[in-house]
Structures are given as C-alpha cells and as structure tokens.
C-alpha cells in the first residue's frame, strides 16, 4: 500500500520541530537559572490540558531542577475556532500548591482570558508565586497577564499542531502550523 505523505492537509508550517526544540532548550535553561534558589520551597510546573501537554513534556525535560508537575483542564473553545469567552474548570490540580512556586505551561495565548482565570485560581490556592510559560502568543490579548517566558510570537490565525487542536485533531503534528481552510466566524 502506498504511504500517504502526511496524515493531515497542512496549509503552512509556522515553526518547525527543530526551531521548537531549540527554543525550548533556551527557555528551559532560563527557568533553571531563575528558579535554582526556589527548589527547597518547591517548584510545580502546571500543564493546562490538553493543549500544553506536548509542550510541557518537552519543557520539563529541559529544566534541570527538582520539580513536581500537575495538571489542570479548562474549556472554552469546544469544537469551534472561536473562544466561547466562558471558561469552565473541568479538572483541578491535585498537589498542595500553598507556598509553592508555580510555573503555568500554556500552549497559546489568544484573548488571554483562560490564563487570567487560571492565574487567579492558582493564586487563590496560596502559591508563593505564579508565572506563565507560553509556547505561542498572538499578541492580541488585552488581559492583564505577566507572561515571563514566551517561546514564540505567532500570527493571529487559527493555529494547530504540537499539542494544539482543531476539534481535537492535529495535536500529534510535531510542528506548529495553521489551518486557514475554515474561517473564524
Ligand atoms: P484564550 O483564553 O482566548 O487566550 O485562549 C486560550 C486557549 O484557547 C488555549 O489554551 C487554546 O487551547 C485555545 N486556543 C487559542 N487560540 C487557538 C488557536 O489558534 N488554535 C487552537 N486553539 C486555540
Ligand atoms: Mg484547545
């Protein structure tokens, strides 16, 4: 049987696997440097599911520190290309975050509403500090966000790949891409 060239129709590659790997290495080094003295108090890298799962798994392997990981799931996009604007908590963290230094790993910042809500939620658990490490930022957020670590800026298009989905597909692409075939409403 003839092998297909790709499982998906891809309009364009925005960031290749090599570019992502190199940038995560840099960010991991930076976090290792910045959080070295915080290890005794406790560091938690928090993954916002499902989109940041791939990013977080690569990120933590580039941070050379004692740390713990946790997961949180929120929903706002559902099966569409447009945020509903309403963020629902689907799965909460399981670790005790009080007095811990929490680094939130997020896949992509669009309106910023998700991160704004998640940061507030984590602060309310008594974390000593909360910072954000985002893979991508569309730079259109008007929310009050302190994104300490950002891997890449990206165009205001509908992005997929490297964990990021459209209607639950495309997450397994090893690179960041966009789907322009279906327009945002
Ligand atoms: P925000 O709350 O509008 O910043 O959206 C953040 C969440 O929406 C991210 O965690 C993603 O899961 C999802 N999202 C935002 N932009 C895109 C996109 O271009 N493609 C796929 N998912 C997106
Ligand atoms: Mg999503």
């Amino acid at each position: 049987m003839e092998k297909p060239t790709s499982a998906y129709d891809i309009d364009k590659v925005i960031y290749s696997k090599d570019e992502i790997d190199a940038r995560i290495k840099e960010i991991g080094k930076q976090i290792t440097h910045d959080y070295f003295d915080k290890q005794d108090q406790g560091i938690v890298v928090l993954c916002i599911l499902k989109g940041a799962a791939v990013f977080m798994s690569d990120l933590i392997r580039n941070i050379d520190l004692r740390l713990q990981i946790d997961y949180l799931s929120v929903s706002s996009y559902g099966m569409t290309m447009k945020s509903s604007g309403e963020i629902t908590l689907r799965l909460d963290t399981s670790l005790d975050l009080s007095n811990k230094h929490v680094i939130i790993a997020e896949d992509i910042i669009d309106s910023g509403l998700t991160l704004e809500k998640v940061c507030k939620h984590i602060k309310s658990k008594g974390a000593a500090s909360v910072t954000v490490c985002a893979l991508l930022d569309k730079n259109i957020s008007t929310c009050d966000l302190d994104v300490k670590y950002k891997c890449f800026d990206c165009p205001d298009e509908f992005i997929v790949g490297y964990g990021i989905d459209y209607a639950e597909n495309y997450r397994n692409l090893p690179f960041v891409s966009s789907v322009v075939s279906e327009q945002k409403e």
Side-chain angles (χ1 to χ4, degrees), residues 27 30 34-35 38 131-134 145-150:
I27 296 278
Q30 186 64 52
D34 295 350
Y35 282 76
K38 298 182 167 69
T131 54
V132 173
C133 180
L145 296 177
D146 181 16
V147 184
K148 190 164 180 195
Y149 307 101
K150 177 164 69 173

Side-chain angles (χ1 to χ4, degrees), residues 48-52 74 76-77 80-81 83 87 106-115 138 141 145 154-155 157-160 164-166 171 184:
I48 306 186
L49 292 171
K50 300 177 192 172
V74 287
S76 73
Y77 275 57
T80 71
M81 281 190 176
S83 172
I87 287 108
E106 170 67 314
D107 54 356
I108 182 165
I109 305 170
D110 186 314
S111 69
L113 282 170
T114 305
L115 269 178
K138 292 184 187 172
S141 168
L145 296 177
C154 74
E157 292 170 11
F158 198 82
I159 306 294
V160 294
I164 303 167
D165 75 307
Y166 169 47
R171 293 195 199 272
K184 275 190 188 185

